[in-house]
Amino acid sequence: MIVLGIETSCDDTAVGIVNDARTILAHCVFSQLKEHKPFGGVVPEVAARAHADHLDRLIDRAMTDAHLTYEEIDAVAATCGPGLIGGVMVGAVTGKAMAAVLKKPFIAVNHLEAHALTVRLGEDVTFPYLLLLVSGGHSQLLLVHQVGSYERLGGTLDDAVGECFDKCAKLLGLGYPGGPLIEALARNGNAMRYALPIPMQGRDGYDFSFSGLKTSVRTMLEKMTEDERKKASADIAASLQKAIADSLVDRVGHALAALQQRGLTISHLVAAGGVAANQSIRQGLLSVSANYGVMFCAAPPHLCTDNGVMVAWAGIERLRLGKTNPLDVAARPRWPLTEVE
Ligand code: KG4
Ligand code: ZN
């Protein structure tokens, strides 16, 4: 069983091809960073046009990399939401056109479900598992019961965690996306130098909050001269990364304790989404899961950020269960995981 997956929901144009023996046959990503750089952020209209300009070429390259003919593809999967609707429509329409011409099934993939299931491409992670979904637009704790069945435990009350990394990177005069740049800078920094607040630590429930942390960083920087800021930037990056990791670890620990009390046996804690690429956060999650006797798992960093392989794999998971979609399925800017079916 071979599925081609298309991802166009934000600023990466991506195509992946995967088989049900868990082999990645193609993994092509075109990052639109250069297109958006002059604007200082992702511009939805620019993203949609860039997806339309690059997607055909990327599909061709993926097919060449995989040494496949189009007849050998069993189904076409495309992200149909949530995301920037112009881009989502480019990917969805292209995927539907391919499926129609090839007379193969079409699979409408939820972008968040693709992040949630990626780990199963590389590891034997069985249901149910606890999922920490942390990306540029989302911060959620979910219980994954089955493909298509998600129970939301908590989410962010304000900014997403990736957004906090990105906004603080901007305050520090770094580029975009901020997460990897802060992680690199933090390697030379002292995480104990600045005692930043650890959002929501010790609070009931499983929600997150990151806008207060961003404000603390801004206030701290405003009190410094340009020269002081430059000298302190690695220590600030390290302290910020630590505060974020400590907050995520606290919230996850809380959820793991509650699940144990509920009598629910889970084997794994899974981290997914772009922020799950962060090594220091992974370390924190590894130790908290060990404390509760569960295994920690995350996809390799290049499959944590947006890519086509995760869409193709979600396509395989759905195709195996006979979950395909008609060609009039809608592209959706909002599409919560709890409404995937
Ligand atoms: O999943 P993703 O590629 O796109 C969305 O669906 O949002 O996540 C992008 C987010 C950005 O906010 C980026 O700064 C963050 O993930 N990110 C990281 C790292 N790599 C990407 N954050 C922290 N550490 C990283 N290494
Ligand atoms: Zn994503």
Side-chain angles (χ1 to χ4, degrees), residues 7 9-10 111-112 115 133-138 273-274 304-307 310:
E7 163 57 39
S9 67
C10 192
H111 178 86
L112 304 176
H115 276 306
L133 181 54
V134 276
S135 71
H138 302 272
C304 284
T305 46
D306 291 349
N307 64 84
M310 69 181 196

Side-chain angles (χ1 to χ4, degrees), residues 30-313:
F30 170 78
S31 163
Q32 301 177 3
L33 272 181
K34 254 201 219 146
E35 267 87 343
H36 299 284
K37 203 167 184 172
F39 306 98
V42 178
V43 183
E45 177 66 21
V46 173
R49 282 171 190 271
H51 287 307
D53 285 346
H54 296 287
L55 186 54
D56 289 10
R57 182 180 54 80
L58 222 59
I59 292 170
D60 266 351
R61 207 176 87 205
M63 293 299 293
T64 307
D65 288 358
H67 305 292
L68 290 172
T69 62
Y70 282 98
E71 287 68 36
E72 290 171 291
I73 299 283
D74 292 299
V76 180
T79 295
C80 285
L84 302 173
I85 193 64
V88 173
M89 284 173 72
V90 170
V93 166
T94 306
K96 288 177 186 181
M98 282 182 70
V101 170
L102 299 170
K103 299 191 172 53
K104 305 281 171 150
F106 177 71
I107 302 154
V109 170
N110 178 299
H111 178 86
L112 304 176
E113 180 169 63
H115 276 306
L117 298 175
T118 310
V119 72
R120 284 165 48 85
L121 170 61
E123 312 265 348
D124 294 322
V125 176
T126 49
F127 300 116
Y129 55 84
L130 179 64
L131 172 71
L132 175 69
L133 181 54
V134 276
S135 71
H138 302 272
S139 302
Q140 295 179 31
L141 259 174
L142 297 136
L143 206 48
V144 181
H145 290 290
Q146 272 302 332
V147 173
S149 173
Y150 302 88
E151 180 183 337
R152 189 177 183 278
L153 301 177
T156 184
L157 303 175
D158 39 60
D159 290 353
V161 58
E163 205 177 341
C164 179
F165 270 113
D166 295 337
K167 286 178 175 170
C168 290
K170 204 168 181 180
L171 292 171
L172 285 165
L174 307 172
Y176 176 87
L181 297 168
I182 290 198
E183 180 171 27
L185 189 59
R187 281 194 198 107
N188 303 315
N190 174 5
M192 308 308 281
R193 168 117 176 252
Y194 298 103
L196 290 164
I198 299 165
M200 307 296 276
Q201 193 177 39
R203 297 261 191 105
D204 284 346
Y206 319 104
D207 286 333
F208 305 94
S209 164
F210 293 102
S211 76
L213 183 55
K214 171 197 66 193
T215 307
S216 302
V217 170
R218 180 189 295 131
T219 311
M220 194 163 72
L221 287 168
E222 278 169 359
K223 289 181 188 150
M224 292 179 179
T225 63
E226 191 63 40
D227 196 41
E228 283 170 335
R229 255 184 246 174
K230 258 191 202 142
K231 281 188 187 137
S233 65
D235 291 343
I236 296 172
S239 305
L240 169 69
Q241 183 174 261
K242 182 177 186 309
I244 290 175
D246 287 354
S247 176
L248 294 175
V249 163
D250 177 78
R251 309 281 71 207
V252 165
H254 204 145
L256 286 169
L259 290 176
Q260 271 185 2
Q261 268 173 14
R262 198 168 129 179
L264 192 86
T265 309
I266 56 158
S267 57
H268 284 86
L269 162 69
V270 171
V275 178
N278 185 288
Q279 293 302 327
S280 151
I281 291 174
R282 283 179 182 238
Q283 277 305 318
L285 296 174
L286 182 70
S287 55
V288 72
S289 40
N291 290 346
Y292 287 91
V294 303
M295 280 182 280
F296 171 67
C297 241
H302 66 282
L303 294 181
C304 284
T305 46
D306 291 349
N307 64 84
V309 165
M310 69 181 196
V311 179
W313 177 251

